Amino acid sequence: MEVVQVQEASTGSTVPRRQLGRYLRELRTKARLTVQAAAMALEWSEAKMWRIETGQTSLRSHDVETMCRVYGAPDGLKEALMGLAKETKGKGWWHAYGDVIPGGFDLYIGLEEAAATLEEYSPELIPGLLQTKDYHRALLRKSRPDLQAEEIERRVQLRVQRQILVTRSLDPPVLRTVLNEAVVRRPVGGPSVMAAQVDRLVEVSALPNVSLRVLPYTAGEHQGLNTGPFILMRFPVRGDGRSHEPPVVYVQGFTGALYLDKPHEIHRYAEAFAEIWDDALHEEQSTTMFRQIAREMNGP
């Protein structure tokens, strides 16, 4: 019987452990294995399986490889999860694109799909969950001129599929977003594309789980100048009122993404978002601005 070396991780970022556990749980489910059956196949205890799948422990990449073999995971996913296992001991987790974990293995989406609440400050772009096809297409053409038209369309369709999250019938997340005024005035893709994009904001803001606010130029100095763009994700609570997993702050950079989950980090970003939210126009005022900008973009 092989003894797996599992460390109770009290330090370092919990995000890669939780992501690893989430993907391993999905693999087990797809393989139609119960926790008991998987534990028997791996010669581990059910309690150990629970700790792994809930991100309570760190795993060696060798053990992840064994689990992937039992679950019948494809080689590409197996390599990605083995790389993720090596990332579980960082203090603040910086996921560099194309580094240990393949760039196509989008770890953020797993967190986004599991979140109950997303609070976002976006000073430069319309957030991905709210983008129209043409807006996203224009961004791709500018940022990735090397992409063929077929690949651009594939990525646009993937973005559309991701947006189903906002309107799903079962427990859609609460989305609270603050956009810098420059975001809605910058004609990405040209005036007609941007007018349609702003119209989309009006449409989405009517959803009961979505609140959009604009931080106007007239706000002057504000906390967002210090934080830059970020997303604060909170997760569902259990019957006892405790969260399934702790909150995460996601900060996207040009060459990678930073995931923060220490209590003091969450507290500071939560306070910052509250200040930004209060400095922004209320939802009704923001919707009025969206409609006005759409008319200006469409012309006489």
Side-chain angles (χ1 to χ4, degrees):
M1 171 178 169
E2 181 181 2
V3 178
V4 62
Q5 294 183 2
V6 183
Q7 294 181 325
E8 299 296 333
S10 58
T11 60
S13 174
T14 67
V15 177
R17 295 200 308 272
R18 286 150 51 189
Q19 287 290 70
L20 181 58
R22 185 177 291 114
Y23 281 108
L24 289 171
R25 183 173 64 249
E26 289 177 359
L27 279 174
R28 176 181 59 76
T29 301
K30 288 180 180 178
R32 298 183 182 278
L33 290 172
T34 64
V35 171
Q36 182 181 33
M40 289 180 63
L42 292 162
E43 298 186 342
W44 300 346
S45 69
E46 292 182 42
K48 185 172 291 183
M49 289 291 300
W50 178 83
R51 291 197 301 272
I52 290 170
E53 291 189 356
T54 55
Q56 303 298 309
T57 61
S58 294
L59 277 174
R60 298 179 307 175
S61 58
H62 170 74
D63 300 316
V64 172
E65 182 180 24
T66 301
M67 296 179 78
C68 287
R69 185 170 63 250
V70 170
Y71 297 159
D75 287 343
L77 181 55
K78 179 186 70 175
E79 293 300 321
L81 293 180
M82 290 173 65
L84 185 55
K86 296 175 182 176
E87 299 286 317
T88 58
K89 297 175 183 177
K91 292 182 179 179
W93 187 44
W94 173 261
H95 169 207
Y97 304 142
D99 195 1
V100 179
I101 303 168
F105 186 66
D106 200 328
L107 301 169
Y108 170 78
I109 289 179
L111 286 170
E112 185 181 70
E113 290 179 346
T117 303
L118 298 106
E119 296 180 327
E120 179 171 7
Y121 171 59
S122 184
E124 295 295 336
L125 296 172
I126 302 294
L129 290 177
L130 307 178
Q131 293 174 4
T132 64
K133 292 181 181 180
D134 286 337
Y135 184 97
H136 185 50
R137 193 177 287 118
L139 291 177
L140 286 173
R141 286 172 177 161
K142 181 65 176 180
S143 63
R144 294 294 306 275
D146 58 308
L147 293 179
Q148 297 297 317
E150 295 80 4
E151 176 61 17
I152 288 178
E153 291 310 308
R154 187 186 74 84
R155 295 187 181 210
V156 168
Q157 291 307 314
L158 286 174
R159 177 59 55 87
V160 171
Q161 288 299 311
R162 176 181 156 202
Q163 292 174 347
I164 294 174
L165 178 74
V166 180
T167 56
R168 69 187 181 194
S169 57
L170 183 61
D171 295 328
V174 172
L175 183 65
R176 302 174 71 213
T177 301
V178 179
L179 304 171
N180 192 297
E181 183 174 345
V183 174
V184 290
R185 292 196 179 278
R186 181 177 294 113
V188 171
S192 62
V193 169
M194 196 62 203
Q197 173 63 77
V198 178
D199 283 339
R200 171 65 174 160
L201 296 180
V202 173
E203 176 186 337
V204 175
S205 65
L207 294 172
N209 58 310
V210 176
S211 298
L212 302 181
R213 291 189 175 189
V214 174
L215 188 65
Y217 296 139
T218 55
E221 63 278 5
H222 56 85
Q223 194 62 263
L225 297 173
N226 299 317
T227 65
F230 68 90
I231 304 173
L232 171 57
M233 292 175 276
R234 301 183 188 275
F235 300 90
V237 295
R238 300 181 296 215
D240 60 4
R242 297 174 59 192
S243 176
H244 277 286
E245 51 184 298
V248 176
V249 170
Y250 172 80
V251 182
Q252 185 174 5
F254 187 54
T255 59
L258 182 64
Y259 296 81
L260 304 169
D261 61 353
K262 300 295 182 293
H264 73 276
E265 295 167 337
I266 300 300
H267 178 71
R268 290 200 64 183
Y269 273 95
E271 282 193 330
F273 184 81
E275 290 185 35
I276 295 169
W277 185 259
D278 288 343
D279 285 340
L281 300 175
H282 287 183
E283 287 90 323
E284 296 81 4
Q285 296 170 302
S286 298
T287 299
T288 298
M289 177 181 284
F290 294 152
R291 291 194 174 109
Q292 177 187 342
I293 291 173
R295 288 195 297 269
E296 293 172 358
M297 294 283 182
N298 279 318

